[in-house]
Amino acid sequence: MQKDNPNTERYIAIARACLKAINDTAANSGSREEKIQAVYEAIDQAFQAEFSEYRQSVAIMATVLERIASGQLDSEKAADLARKTLDQQPEATRNALMH
């Protein structure tokens, strides 16, 4: 496990969700397909939870870029808007690598 990897905590949370689903389904008498589906859903939920902040940040930045691209702002206002948007992004999205 790489301690300096910014995604380590995310990977651990996803791994925990997977292991919990696997353990929960091991005791379950459901079919193999039902167990696979349960693990798949646990993985999906963990990914959704871990990356929701990224998606929200990207959506905000896309809106700002659209406004800048519209040409309605002079270069100073566009630069100011870009700086303010970058300053407001969540800490978890700053300099974090996405895989």
Side-chain angles (χ1 to χ4, degrees):
M1 199 171 354
Q2 298 175 343
K3 300 263 187 216
D4 60 340
N5 183 334
N7 289 314
T8 297
E9 290 301 316
R10 288 182 182 92
Y11 293 163
I12 290 171
I14 292 166
R16 284 186 180 132
C18 293
L19 287 173
K20 181 180 181 325
I22 290 167
N23 289 336
D24 289 350
T25 60
N28 188 340
S29 62
S31 72
R32 182 174 188 272
E33 291 304 315
E34 290 172 334
K35 291 178 181 185
I36 291 170
Q37 184 63 34
V39 173
Y40 173 88
E41 288 173 8
I43 293 169
D44 184 55
Q45 288 173 4
F47 268 101
Q48 296 300 325
E50 292 303 316
F51 293 106
S52 65
E53 197 170 40
Y54 279 105
R55 283 190 301 278
Q56 182 179 14
S57 181
V58 167
I60 290 167
M61 289 184 191
T63 301
V64 170
L65 285 173
E66 287 171 1
R67 185 161 179 218
I68 292 170
S70 74
Q72 295 176 357
L73 302 174
D74 64 33
S75 62
E76 186 177 320
K77 287 182 180 178
D80 185 53
L81 180 59
R83 278 190 295 278
K84 286 178 181 177
T85 302
L86 289 171
D87 289 344
Q88 292 176 8
Q89 72 177 329
E91 187 63 35
T93 64
R94 296 173 195 245
N95 301 319
L97 301 172
M98 289 287 294
H99 294 275

